[in-house]
Amino acid sequence: MSKIPSKPEILDWVAENPTLTAKRDIAKAFGIKGAARIDLKRVLKELEAEGHLEKRKRSYQDPDRLPPVSVLQVTGPDKDGDLFAKPMEWQGEGVEPVVLVIPRASDPALGAGDRILARLTLVQAQDHHYEARLIRRIGANPQRVLGIFRKTTEGGRIVPIDKGSDKEWWVPGDATHGAKDGELVEAEQAGPKARMGSPRARIVERLGDPSAPKAVSLIAIHQHGIPDDFPDDVMAQADAAKPVGLKGREDLRDLPLITIDPSDARDHDDACYAHADEDPKNEGGHVVWVAIADVAAYVTPGSALDREARKRGNSTYFPDRVVPMLPDRLSGDLCSLHEGVPRACIAVRMVLDAAGDKIGHSFHRGLMRSPASLHYEEVQDAIDGAPNDRTGPLLDPVLKPIYAAYAALKAARAERQPLDLDLPERRIELDKDGTVKSVNFKDRLDAHRLIEEFMVLANVAAAETLLSKKTPLLYRIHEEPSPAKLDALRETAQAAGYTLAKGQVLHTRHLNKLLNDAAGTDDAELINLSTLRSMTQAYYGPAHIGHFGLALRSYAHFTSPIRRYADLIVHRALITAHGWGNDGLSQHDIEDIEQTGAHISDTERRSMMAERDTTDRYLASYLSERVGNEFSGRISGVARFGAFVKLDETGADGLLPMRSLGREYFHFDQEAGTLMGSDTGMIISVGQRVTVRLSEAVPVTGGIALELLTLEGDALPKGGQGARRGRGGPAGRTNPKRKGVKAKRKADKVKRKVKRTRR
């Protein structure tokens, strides 16, 4: 008979294994079998009666332990200079624990009243119970300004770079932070707002040269008018928010809903869980749970938080920072599904048959507690046979059932045939000083695809539910390509030797056949890019049009309310449809829904442009030290003023200006998307392989200029020495060499087709 563990041993086990707290898990850990389980149950009941453990359905939790990641309020230093803090949320019945903050040399200075997100370690000390390491400071809201510092005898002044601001800021001599004249600086308001004269500021960060990499995202924020500081009333409302309790909600805390995100994720707004369906009528089926942060419980219609969230429309992501839609108190704390912390959620339970088709679903407004916050790589490693200390205990009960459900969904996806583009995503990694360290392409793991499929399924369930209940909502709309764009794609495909049939109703399966035919060939990237460019841009609106790219009739965004206002509207619609409370859709939400859809579609495009501009500047900065080097690439676009090349190594887009193509006139055929040399007959078109020399890279503008060296492996032919690059040749006359251009192009296409046929 196995020895029954002591009470301290059981308590230590529960503390070290928060995801394995059921009685059977404890029994398994200590090798207890048979009749000995009765004695274990007695010990657990004694610990519960003594207040050391709290039973929740079938698991035991320590009620007097803080979660490993907690929000703290700094209480100030003691007489010895040690900095202490207290938890913002304390759910135990004992004495509130004392937390010692252990600062690093790189941490900002903290003072009494500051709120911080910190990682905690339980310790045995006389004057404190936990030690905390700062993750980030939250809750502060001074007005900020970005500008050029101009030194004066008494200190200095800041000239904002924002074109819409003509107000300078005065910086006292003791608040310059050592800034030099002409540097780009970020400053915050110092002291109360003055009614007259220049406002006072203190410099909080020196960004150096305005063209330096670290300044890039800040410049984009200001150039595109993205709001990056929250009004005082918004921050006050966020700071006053309290955690939502169980009242009026379903208790989902025993469901092992795990979050899977990038390793550097700041917030966690979705969690998932799956298990085999126990219904004998659905043999081989699965039950999938997707829980989403209940942002609507905190951001109510018409509130200051709501107005600001609508104004921003979405969060904007840069390589070195995030401009969030919601204040950090919500986005990084109360609305983030952190490990081990009770959090409000709206969850959808979806039933799949053995083929992966959804045969039923239901929505629930509940309270959950995630047992683990995992990242994609460690989840994939666990499934591939290399679990770590975090994923090992979850492998059989949680991870494998999730992947089993995903396998069924993959089969259903293959049958549905959504558009299957293969376009690698770039990842720009920065050093601490903001310099680009490397440019890589992100790996696409099954862990990524799994979460994507679960989120698509949940979004479909939300749209179908609201459609059936006739509740107003914002759909995610993606219309099919226009005839003109399809014709352009068809011509590109034909020139490369592929076929996109004409005269039939277009479905995504037709495009997928084209993509599959090109897969693994030199034309794969060309066909993928051309297909992407033929697509219309998705947008938000109340019309039930469907999503062409996903091959879905009903689709709405539900899974990211922390970072997208559209999802918040869908959450409110679900609350109204189910009668869950008075925080659902307001009359104004309903009446203004079309305008809201148009506005947030615009803010989404604004963020995309700012993110793209920032990426271009970072890439130009990265390449600026390699001017003169040779690179391989592919023609990605053709215009009247030259051609664009996508470089293989970094994915950066550079321009081949006309002057770099040779000393001859190039005729631009917009319909065919080609440039043709008037003397040599050389044709430049999308998809051709090239070797280029980097002639210029300007970080301030993001511009990259190239010089063409080889085209499809051949050196450039020499154009006529007397040819001019201007329109029409000498004296504006039509160049006789342009005659027969279309005939020659057609003949070249026929030659290529004949050559392929003979092969």
Side-chain angles (χ1 to χ4, degrees):
M1 180 175 177
S2 302
K3 179 184 176 182
I4 301 299
S6 66
K7 291 180 181 180
E9 288 175 334
I10 293 176
L11 291 176
D12 288 341
W13 165 259
V14 170
E16 294 171 4
N17 300 272
T19 63
L20 298 173
T21 54
K23 186 177 71 175
R24 64 176 180 276
D25 295 325
I26 299 173
K28 183 178 179 181
F30 291 98
I32 298 173
K33 301 178 181 178
R37 288 175 176 263
I38 299 175
D39 292 327
L40 174 63
K41 183 177 181 181
R42 173 182 53 77
V43 175
L44 292 174
K45 282 188 173 293
E46 290 176 3
L47 287 170
E48 184 183 358
E50 294 167 4
H52 295 299
L53 291 179
E54 177 183 24
K55 188 174 183 181
R56 292 188 182 276
K57 292 187 178 180
R58 297 182 179 179
S59 64
Y60 291 85
Q61 304 288 337
D62 186 342
D64 292 326
R65 294 283 178 91
L66 289 173
V69 175
S70 296
V71 175
L72 310 174
Q73 184 170 26
V74 177
T75 56
D78 63 4
K79 61 181 180 179
D80 297 323
D82 291 330
L83 196 63
F84 288 91
K86 65 178 182 179
M88 291 291 292
E89 294 182 51
W90 172 239
Q91 301 180 11
E93 297 181 359
V95 177
E96 183 178 83
V98 177
V99 182
L100 174 65
V101 180
I102 308 295
R104 304 180 185 87
S106 59
D107 287 348
L110 299 174
D114 283 342
R115 291 181 179 180
I116 62 173
L117 186 67
R119 187 171 299 280
L120 304 185
T121 303
L122 184 66
V123 297
Q124 301 293 332
Q126 292 183 348
D127 58 349
H128 61 279
H129 307 90
Y130 293 86
E131 291 181 353
R133 290 284 188 177
L134 176 71
I135 297 176
R136 64 181 178 274
R137 182 167 53 185
I138 62 176
N141 189 41
Q143 186 177 352
R144 297 228 166 184
V145 61
L146 182 73
I148 306 298
F149 178 69
R150 296 302 180 191
K151 196 170 183 64
T152 65
T153 55
E154 298 179 351
R157 56 189 176 89
I158 297 173
V159 182
I161 65 167
D162 189 351
K163 294 180 181 178
S165 176
D166 57 358
K167 179 176 63 177
E168 296 185 355
W169 293 64
W170 173 58
V171 182
D174 60 352
T176 63
H177 200 55
K180 298 178 181 179
D181 188 71
E183 278 190 321
L184 182 69
V185 297
E186 187 175 14
E188 65 181 19
Q189 177 188 328
K193 296 178 181 178
R195 294 189 176 183
M196 299 179 64
S198 299
R200 179 183 298 187
R202 62 170 168 265
I203 294 174
V204 295
E205 190 169 6
R206 295 169 55 192
L207 302 173
D209 185 349
S211 64
K214 199 171 184 180
V216 168
S217 59
L218 292 175
I219 292 173
I221 288 167
H222 284 258
Q223 279 188 334
H224 292 277
I226 297 174
D228 64 334
D229 61 335
F230 289 100
D232 293 338
D233 59 342
V234 174
M235 290 300 299
Q237 189 174 353
D239 287 344
K242 301 296 182 185
V244 172
L246 186 58
K247 184 178 180 181
R249 296 175 175 272
E250 294 183 46
D251 191 347
L252 305 177
R253 287 176 289 182
D254 287 326
L255 284 180
L257 290 155
I258 61 170
T259 65
I260 307 176
D261 294 287
S263 57
D264 57 353
R266 296 183 55 158
D267 52 60
H268 312 280
D269 52 9
D270 58 79
C272 62
Y273 168 59
H275 61 82
D277 191 0
E278 298 175 356
D279 187 346
K281 296 179 181 179
N282 188 28
E283 185 177 354
H286 305 267
V287 175
V288 175
W289 283 85
V290 171
I292 307 298
D294 190 354
V295 177
Y298 298 95
V299 184
T300 54
S303 64
L305 279 166
D306 181 43
R307 292 192 300 271
E308 184 67 18
R310 185 185 185 278
K311 174 183 175 183
R312 296 176 178 231
N314 50 264
S315 299
T316 306
Y317 295 84
F318 300 104
D320 64 335
R321 71 187 68 232
V322 177
V323 180
M325 186 180 79
L326 299 172
D328 209 11
R329 170 64 172 156
L330 298 183
S331 62
D333 181 18
L334 294 179
C335 294
S336 191
L337 307 179
H338 290 304
E339 176 181 330
V341 183
R343 285 291 180 255
C345 67
I346 294 179
V348 55
R349 179 184 185 271
M350 298 169 287
V351 181
L352 311 179
D353 62 17
D357 294 317
K358 181 169 65 66
I359 59 176
H361 69 267
S362 59
F363 281 88
H364 308 261
R365 201 175 198 187
L367 190 71
M368 62 163 284
R369 177 163 49 205
S370 176
S373 295
L374 307 176
H375 59 78
Y376 291 113
E377 290 76 14
E378 65 179 337
V379 169
Q380 191 64 52
D381 287 344
I383 290 296
D384 292 342
N388 59 22
D389 293 341
R390 288 157 48 80
T391 57
L394 297 169
L395 183 57
D396 289 326
V398 178
L399 298 182
K400 287 184 178 179
I402 285 176
Y403 272 77
Y406 168 59
L409 281 175
K410 277 201 302 185
R413 176 189 172 91
E415 183 68 24
R416 192 178 87 243
Q417 289 255 351
L419 188 61
D420 192 17
L421 291 170
D422 182 19
L423 294 170
E425 184 180 356
R426 280 177 303 201
R427 179 182 180 87
I428 296 176
E429 296 183 359
L430 305 178
D431 286 326
K432 291 182 179 179
D433 63 356
T435 303
V436 180
K437 180 171 59 176
S438 63
V439 180
N440 300 311
F441 292 95
K442 295 181 180 179
D443 292 331
R444 288 276 297 158
L445 306 173
D446 275 348
H448 292 98
R449 299 183 180 94
L450 178 153
I451 294 300
E452 288 174 3
E453 286 302 309
F454 281 11
M455 297 306 111
V456 168
L457 196 67
N459 288 335
V460 170
E464 290 178 348
T465 291
L466 295 173
L467 183 64
S468 67
K469 292 180 178 291
K470 299 180 179 180
T471 307
L473 79 151
L474 283 173
Y475 291 98
R476 182 63 168 175
I477 301 169
H478 185 225
E479 301 182 47
E480 65 181 51
S482 67
K485 288 190 174 182
L486 278 179
D487 286 342
L489 173 61
R490 192 173 287 110
E491 288 185 5
T492 300
Q494 288 175 348
Y498 304 99
T499 301
L500 178 61
K502 193 174 183 179
Q504 60 181 337
V505 177
L506 181 71
H507 294 286
T508 48
R509 65 175 180 271
H510 300 135
L511 297 172
N512 284 340
K513 182 180 184 306
L514 173 63
L515 294 167
N516 290 334
D517 288 345
T521 71
D522 289 341
D523 299 314
E525 185 178 4
L526 164 66
I527 298 301
N528 273 271
L529 283 172
S530 300
T531 303
L532 176 64
R533 286 172 179 162
S534 72
M535 295 294 107
T536 60
Q537 189 163 9
Y539 62 95
Y540 296 104
H544 184 218
I545 296 175
H547 198 293
F548 174 80
L550 292 174
L552 294 168
R553 288 182 292 179
S554 302
Y555 194 68
H557 275 164
F558 156 72
T559 53
S560 295
I562 288 178
R563 62 184 180 90
R564 293 189 305 227
Y565 192 77
D567 302 55
L568 177 57
I569 292 293
V570 171
H571 276 232
R572 288 178 183 165
L574 288 168
I575 293 168
T576 296
H578 291 88
W580 284 333
N582 58 6
D583 49 355
L585 289 172
S586 68
Q587 190 61 34
H588 182 267
D589 285 337
I590 296 172
E591 294 173 353
D592 207 40
I593 196 163
E594 188 168 353
Q595 290 80 359
T596 297
H599 168 71
I600 62 178
S601 296
D602 289 341
T603 61
E604 179 184 47
R605 284 189 284 271
R606 177 181 67 184
S607 293
M608 289 172 60
M609 291 172 62
E611 292 166 359
R612 183 193 62 200
D613 288 352
T614 300
T615 298
D616 288 346
R617 288 189 174 98
Y618 274 124
L619 289 172
S621 175
Y622 180 64
L623 293 170
S624 62
E625 297 180 358
R626 302 170 68 181
V627 171
N629 288 11
E630 296 183 8
F631 298 89
S632 62
R634 188 184 291 274
I635 301 292
S636 59
V638 175
R640 190 175 300 278
F641 49 83
F644 294 95
V645 174
K646 182 175 288 292
L647 303 180
D648 294 335
E649 180 183 337
T650 61
D653 289 301
L655 173 66
L656 284 171
M658 283 294 189
R659 65 178 180 273
S660 74
L661 300 180
R663 298 181 61 188
E664 63 177 317
Y665 175 84
F666 274 85
H667 170 70
F668 172 58
D669 188 327
Q670 185 173 6
E671 183 180 344
T674 61
L675 291 169
M676 175 178 277
S678 58
D679 289 351
T680 62
M682 180 177 72
I683 295 177
I684 297 176
S685 61
V686 173
Q688 291 175 314
R689 298 291 306 174
V690 296
T691 304
V692 295
R693 179 182 290 114
L694 178 63
S695 58
E696 187 178 29
V698 186
V700 174
T701 64
I704 296 173
L706 307 169
E707 178 186 348
L708 185 61
L709 300 179
T710 69
L711 182 69
E712 295 287 5
D714 298 327
L716 298 186
K718 295 182 179 180
Q721 298 300 308
R724 289 183 52 181
R725 291 187 291 274
R727 182 186 296 272
R733 296 193 303 272
T734 301
N735 193 317
K737 294 289 186 178
R738 293 174 60 187
K739 294 181 179 181
V741 164
K742 290 187 177 180
K744 179 173 176 57
R745 184 172 66 250
K746 184 174 182 180
D748 288 341
K749 287 184 179 179
V750 171
K751 288 179 181 178
R752 287 197 296 271
K753 288 182 180 178
V754 170
K755 189 175 182 180
R756 282 194 299 271
T757 302
R758 288 175 176 172
R759 287 177 182 174

